[in-house]
Every structure is written in structure tokens, then in C-alpha cells.
Amino acid sequence: MPLAVYILGLSVFALGTSEFMLSGLLPAVADDMNVTIPQAGLLISAFAIGMVVGAPLLAVATLRLPRRTTLIALITTFGLGQIAGALAPTYGILFASRVVSALACAGFWAVGAAVAIAMVPMNQRARAMAVMIGGLSIANVLGVPAGAFLGDGLGWRSAFWAVGAASAIALVGIVTLVPHIPRPAERPRLKRELSIYADRQVWLSIAVTALAAGGVFCAFSYLSPFLTDVAGLDEGWVPAVLALFGVGALVGTTVGGRVADAHLFGVLLTGTALSTVFLTALALLGHVEIAAVVLAFLLGLSAFYTAPALNARMFNVAGAAPTLAGATTTAAFNLGNTGGPWLGGTVIDADLGYPAVAWAGAAMTVLALALTAVSLRLHRRTAPSRIVTGSTAANSTATGSTAAGSAATPQAAPSDAAAPRP
């Protein structure tokens, strides 16, 4: 695995810490900015919406720009967004800084994923994505708690300064270690890139990703009150349990990334099925303290076990447009991360109780499981579309002059080369 892929993982650590750290800083932000906690919570929603909208927009806007240069510009913009947030004198400026940071974050995910894929052979795509997603897992295990710790001791602005410093380190790594990715022989064309959306497998991948992520985060978003009100844990244990979720996520990402390249659909089916089982168990056994704690770890494991496979699958079916494929996956994950908590909130507002949130999440993962089965059936019964087949030439051209790129085999369509049948 090229060192540059780990630099991208480090960058994602900074991005992920910024995205999620506000959950532990909301009371302090609300008090300092003289707004309500729900208004402060809109800063989280703004980031998520910026990710959904920004990923495809930034992918299209930077389509013909050198990818390494684009990464440098995006991580720089993101870092400046953190500095602006740290210095923000008003809520409005802080809100604007979050939107700008989200757009840069979304663009970096899209372009960074395409760069990671371009630097490795086709049979290591999921593993490369696991390194990037691992940065997000570590952000949940270390970055978010560290942000909360800094916020408690030095004020919430110190957390923004810390992420800005991490972004600067990532910038140095990108400048020094990420190689120049050759442009394809044929200049990227927007019409061709957008043509991936004519493939039903792309839409199935979008739906599966959004539902699989949304199902877990439907419950995870309300895990804190679930642990205190249903399981009866003391509030002081909540950060530790949330960190345990992050540990499970890190383990799941590592294992899933190594297995998915050989058994992509196997990982998707088993991981999503396990998430369904764990969510159902949480709804039924969540009132038992030890069960709730163990299931928090297992949910993190199952959710992130499937994440590398979900990313790799999108690149397999939409490889003719690798940058837009990365953007589409980013948007799909954030649709789930936005829609899942919304569904959970709706369930809570209906006075159905916190266990019902786990039931709602399980319903989403069941749908994801069904659509994965449909996608597998189509994958086995139909020949690769022209769009998918055409991606091979594009990818082999884009990666041909890199050390890893020579391993890509143009004889097979990406959907078959990188995703053997389970």
C-alpha cells in the first residue's frame, strides 16, 4: 500500500474530527454564541448537507483539474475554514465557516478516493478505501474525544485550532508524498461522467449505501440518551461507550478492507445482515447495561466492516467516472447520515421511545440487504454495461504510469475484476 494512501487517511482523520466533534461542544458553542442548543445543532446539519451537495458539485467543478493540485487546494481551504471557525465572532460567521469546510471536505473525499483508487491495483481497491475510512474511524476513537477534552479545558475554539493544525500536517504530507496522477489520454467530459447515472447498478449502490449507513446512524445518533434512559448507565460512562463504538468501527474497517477485495458481495451481505441483527438485539435487550455496551461495539464493527465494500462497489460500477463515483459515494453516505437521524427523531417525536429508534434502523438495513441481493442477482445474470466496460480503459490509462497501476488488467470489467463472487 503506497505511503500516499496513508497520508490521505491522515487527511480524513482531520476531516472526520471536524465533522463530528461539535456533538461534544454544542453546549459551549451555544452559550458563547448566545443561541439555543438546537440552533447550535444546525451547525452539524449544515456540515452534513454541505457534504451531500458539495461532493458532486466539487467533483464536476474540478473534473479537468490535476488531482494532486485539487487535493492541495481543498485541504488548504478546509484548514482555513477551521481557522475562520476558531476566530468567528458571531454565529453567522461560524455557520458560514462550517458550510465552506463541508464543501472542501466533500470535494476532498471525492477526489481523494479517486486518487487512492488510482494508486493501487484493482484487487486492492477496498483495502485502499479501508485506509481512508480508517482515518474516519480513528477520528471517532481519538479525534472527537480529544476535541471534547480540549473544549472542556481550553474552550471550544481550541478544538478548531487543533483540527486546523492537523490539516496543516496533512497538507505537508500531500505536497511531499502524493504523486502526480497522469491525466487520461481522453480529456474528461461532463456528459460522459454523468452517463454513469444511466446504469441501474449505480442507483442500487447509492440506495444500499444510504440505507446501510442510515440504519446504523438512526440508532447511533441517539445512543447517548438510549444508554442513560433505557440501559440506565450513568452519564459519565457515555463517552467511553461512544469510544467503544469507534474501536469497533476501526476493527471493522481493517477486517472489511482486507476481505472485501476477494468477497465484495459476501462482505456487503454479511455486514448488513449483522447490523440488522445487532439493531434488533439493541431494541430487545437495550435495557440490560452490558448488552447495550457490547452491542454499541458490535454496531460500530458491522457498520464499518461494510464501508470499504460499499466504496469499492461504487467504483466498480461507475469506474468510467472515478471522481464522480467518489463524490456519489460521499453523498450517499451523508444522505444516510442525515436521513437516519431524521427518521430516528421522527420516531422519538411520535413518543414511541428510544428502543423504537433501533427498530427503525433495522428496517432501513433490511431494505439495504434486499437491494444488495437484487444487485448481486443483476451482477450474476447480466453482462457489464458499456459504461462499466468503458471504465476499464479509463482507469488503466489513468493509472498506467504509476507503480500500482500496472497491475490493473484491462481484459476484465472492473465489476468482475475487483468483486469476485462470494
Coordinates of all heavy atoms in Angstrom, one line a residue, residues 285-324:
L285 N -32.9 -5.9 23.9 CA -32.1 -6.1 25.1 C -31.4 -4.8 25.6 O -30.6 -4.9 26.5 CB -31.0 -7.2 24.8 CG -31.5 -8.5 24.3 CD1 -30.3 -9.4 23.9 CD2 -32.3 -9.2 25.3
G286 N -31.8 -3.7 25.0 CA -31.1 -2.5 25.3 C -31.2 -2.0 26.8 O -30.5 -1.2 27.3
H287 N -32.2 -2.6 27.5 CA -32.4 -2.2 28.9 C -31.4 -2.9 29.8 O -31.3 -2.6 31.0 CB -33.9 -2.6 29.3 CG -34.1 -4.1 29.2 ND1 -34.4 -4.7 28.0 CD2 -34.1 -5.1 30.2 CE1 -34.6 -6.0 28.2 NE2 -34.5 -6.2 29.5
V288 N -30.7 -3.9 29.2 CA -29.6 -4.5 30.0 C -28.3 -3.8 29.8 O -27.9 -3.7 28.6 CB -29.5 -6.0 29.6 CG1 -28.4 -6.7 30.4 CG2 -30.8 -6.7 29.8
E289 N -27.7 -3.3 30.8 CA -26.5 -2.5 30.7 C -25.4 -3.1 29.8 O -24.9 -2.6 28.8 CB -25.9 -2.1 32.0 CG -26.8 -1.1 32.8 CD -26.1 -0.7 34.1 OE1 -24.9 -1.2 34.4 OE2 -26.7 0.0 34.9
I290 N -25.0 -4.3 30.2 CA -23.9 -5.0 29.5 C -24.2 -5.3 28.0 O -23.4 -5.1 27.1 CB -23.4 -6.3 30.2 CG1 -22.2 -6.9 29.6 CG2 -24.6 -7.3 30.3 CD1 -21.0 -6.0 29.7
A291 N -25.5 -5.6 27.8 CA -25.9 -5.9 26.4 C -25.8 -4.6 25.6 O -25.3 -4.6 24.4 CB -27.3 -6.4 26.4
A292 N -26.2 -3.5 26.1 CA -26.2 -2.2 25.4 C -24.8 -1.8 25.1 O -24.5 -1.3 24.0 CB -26.9 -1.1 26.2
V293 N -23.9 -2.0 26.0 CA -22.4 -1.7 25.8 C -21.8 -2.5 24.7 O -21.2 -2.1 23.8 CB -21.7 -1.8 27.1 CG1 -20.2 -1.6 26.9 CG2 -22.2 -0.8 28.1
V294 N -22.0 -3.8 24.8 CA -21.5 -4.8 23.8 C -22.0 -4.5 22.5 O -21.3 -4.5 21.5 CB -21.7 -6.2 24.3 CG1 -21.3 -7.2 23.2 CG2 -21.0 -6.6 25.6
L295 N -23.3 -4.2 22.4 CA -24.0 -4.0 21.1 C -23.5 -2.7 20.5 O -23.4 -2.6 19.2 CB -25.5 -4.0 21.2 CG -26.1 -5.4 21.5 CD1 -27.6 -5.3 21.9 CD2 -26.0 -6.2 20.2
A296 N -23.1 -1.7 21.3 CA -22.5 -0.5 20.7 C -21.2 -0.8 20.0 O -21.0 -0.3 18.9 CB -22.3 0.5 21.8
F297 N -20.4 -1.6 20.6 CA -19.2 -2.0 19.9 C -19.4 -2.8 18.6 O -18.8 -2.6 17.6 CB -18.3 -2.9 20.9 CG -17.2 -3.6 20.2 CD1 -16.0 -2.9 20.0 CD2 -17.3 -4.9 19.9 CE1 -14.9 -3.6 19.4 CE2 -16.2 -5.6 19.3 CZ -15.0 -4.9 19.0
L298 N -20.4 -3.7 18.7 CA -20.7 -4.6 17.6 C -21.3 -3.8 16.4 O -21.1 -4.1 15.2 CB -21.6 -5.7 18.0 CG -21.0 -6.8 18.9 CD1 -22.1 -7.8 19.4 CD2 -19.8 -7.5 18.3
L299 N -22.1 -2.8 16.7 CA -22.7 -1.9 15.7 C -21.6 -1.2 14.9 O -21.6 -1.0 13.7 CB -23.7 -1.0 16.3 CG -25.1 -1.5 16.4 CD1 -26.0 -0.5 17.2 CD2 -25.7 -1.8 15.1
G300 N -20.6 -0.6 15.7 CA -19.5 0.0 15.0 C -18.8 -0.9 14.1 O -18.4 -0.6 13.0
L301 N -18.6 -2.1 14.6 CA -17.8 -3.1 13.8 C -18.6 -3.5 12.5 O -18.0 -3.4 11.4 CB -17.6 -4.4 14.7 CG -16.6 -5.4 14.1 CD1 -16.0 -6.2 15.3 CD2 -17.3 -6.4 13.2
S302 N -19.9 -3.8 12.6 CA -20.6 -4.2 11.4 C -20.8 -3.1 10.4 O -20.7 -3.3 9.2 CB -22.0 -4.8 11.8 OG -22.8 -3.8 12.4
A303 N -21.0 -1.9 10.9 CA -21.3 -0.7 10.0 C -20.0 -0.4 9.2 O -20.1 -0.3 8.0 CB -21.7 0.5 10.8
F304 N -18.9 -0.4 9.9 CA -17.7 0.0 9.2 C -17.0 -1.2 8.5 O -16.1 -1.1 7.6 CB -16.7 0.7 10.1 CG -17.1 2.1 10.4 CD1 -18.1 2.4 11.2 CD2 -16.4 3.1 9.7 CE1 -18.4 3.7 11.5 CE2 -16.7 4.4 9.9 CZ -17.8 4.8 10.8
Y305 N -17.4 -2.4 8.8 CA -17.0 -3.6 8.1 C -17.5 -3.6 6.7 O -16.7 -4.0 5.7 CB -17.6 -4.9 8.8 CG -17.3 -6.2 8.1 CD1 -16.1 -6.8 8.1 CD2 -18.4 -6.9 7.5 CE1 -15.9 -8.0 7.4 CE2 -18.2 -8.1 6.9 CZ -17.0 -8.6 6.8 OH -16.8 -9.8 6.2
T306 N -18.7 -3.0 6.4 CA -19.2 -2.9 5.1 C -18.7 -1.7 4.3 O -18.8 -1.7 3.1 CB -20.7 -2.9 5.1 OG1 -21.2 -1.8 5.9 CG2 -21.3 -4.2 5.8
A307 N -18.2 -0.7 5.0 CA -17.9 0.6 4.4 C -16.9 0.5 3.2 O -17.1 1.0 2.2 CB -17.4 1.6 5.4
P308 N -15.8 -0.2 3.4 CA -14.8 -0.4 2.3 C -15.5 -1.0 1.0 O -15.2 -0.6 -0.1 CB -13.7 -1.2 2.8 CG -13.8 -1.0 4.3 CD -15.2 -0.9 4.6
A309 N -16.3 -2.0 1.3 CA -17.0 -2.7 0.2 C -18.0 -1.8 -0.5 O -18.1 -1.8 -1.7 CB -17.7 -4.0 0.7
L310 N -18.7 -1.0 0.3 CA -19.7 0.0 -0.3 C -18.9 1.0 -1.2 O -19.4 1.3 -2.3 CB -20.4 0.7 0.8 CG -21.4 -0.1 1.6 CD1 -21.9 0.7 2.8 CD2 -22.6 -0.5 0.7
N311 N -17.8 1.4 -0.8 CA -17.0 2.4 -1.6 C -16.5 1.7 -2.8 O -16.6 2.2 -4.0 CB -15.8 2.9 -0.8 CG -16.2 4.1 0.1 OD1 -16.2 5.2 -0.4 ND2 -16.5 3.8 1.3
A312 N -15.9 0.5 -2.7 CA -15.3 -0.2 -3.8 C -16.4 -0.6 -4.8 O -16.1 -0.5 -6.0 CB -14.6 -1.5 -3.3
R313 N -17.6 -1.0 -4.4 CA -18.6 -1.3 -5.3 C -19.0 -0.2 -6.2 O -19.2 -0.4 -7.4 CB -19.8 -1.8 -4.5 CG -21.1 -2.2 -5.4 CD -20.7 -3.3 -6.3 NE -21.9 -3.6 -7.2 CZ -21.8 -4.3 -8.3 NH1 -20.6 -4.7 -8.7 NH2 -22.8 -4.6 -9.0
M314 N -19.1 1.0 -5.7 CA -19.4 2.2 -6.5 C -18.3 2.4 -7.5 O -18.6 2.7 -8.7 CB -19.6 3.4 -5.6 CG -19.9 4.7 -6.4 SD -21.5 4.5 -7.2 CE -22.6 4.8 -5.8
F315 N -17.1 2.3 -7.2 CA -16.0 2.5 -8.2 C -16.0 1.4 -9.2 O -15.7 1.6 -10.4 CB -14.6 2.5 -7.5 CG -14.3 3.8 -6.9 CD1 -14.5 4.1 -5.6 CD2 -13.8 4.8 -7.7 CE1 -14.2 5.3 -5.0 CE2 -13.5 6.1 -7.2 CZ -13.7 6.3 -5.8
N316 N -16.5 0.2 -8.8 CA -16.6 -0.9 -9.8 C -17.6 -0.7 -10.9 O -17.4 -1.0 -12.0 CB -16.9 -2.3 -9.1 CG -15.7 -2.7 -8.2 OD1 -14.6 -2.2 -8.4 ND2 -15.9 -3.6 -7.3
V317 N -18.8 -0.2 -10.4 CA -19.9 0.0 -11.4 C -19.9 1.4 -12.1 O -20.6 1.6 -13.1 CB -21.3 -0.2 -10.7 CG1 -21.4 -1.6 -10.2 CG2 -21.5 0.8 -9.6
A318 N -19.1 2.3 -11.5 CA -19.0 3.7 -12.1 C -17.6 4.1 -12.4 O -17.3 5.3 -12.3 CB -19.7 4.7 -11.2
G319 N -16.8 3.1 -12.7 CA -15.3 3.4 -12.9 C -15.0 4.3 -14.1 O -14.0 4.9 -14.2
A320 N -16.0 4.5 -15.0 CA -15.8 5.3 -16.1 C -15.7 6.8 -15.7 O -15.2 7.7 -16.4 CB -16.9 5.2 -17.1
A321 N -16.2 7.1 -14.5 CA -16.1 8.4 -13.9 C -15.7 8.3 -12.5 O -16.4 8.5 -11.5 CB -17.5 9.0 -14.0
P322 N -14.4 8.0 -12.2 CA -13.9 7.8 -10.9 C -14.1 8.9 -9.9 O -14.4 8.7 -8.7 CB -12.4 7.4 -11.1 CG -12.0 8.0 -12.4 CD -13.3 7.9 -13.2
T323 N -13.9 10.2 -10.4 CA -14.1 11.3 -9.4 C -15.5 11.4 -9.1 O -15.9 11.6 -7.9 CB -13.6 12.6 -10.1 OG1 -12.2 12.4 -10.4 CG2 -13.7 13.8 -9.1
L324 N -16.4 11.3 -10.0 CA -17.9 11.4 -9.8 C -18.3 10.2 -9.0 O -19.3 10.3 -8.2 CB -18.7 11.6 -11.1 CG -20.1 12.1 -10.9 CD1 -20.0 13.5 -10.2 CD2 -20.7 12.3 -12.3

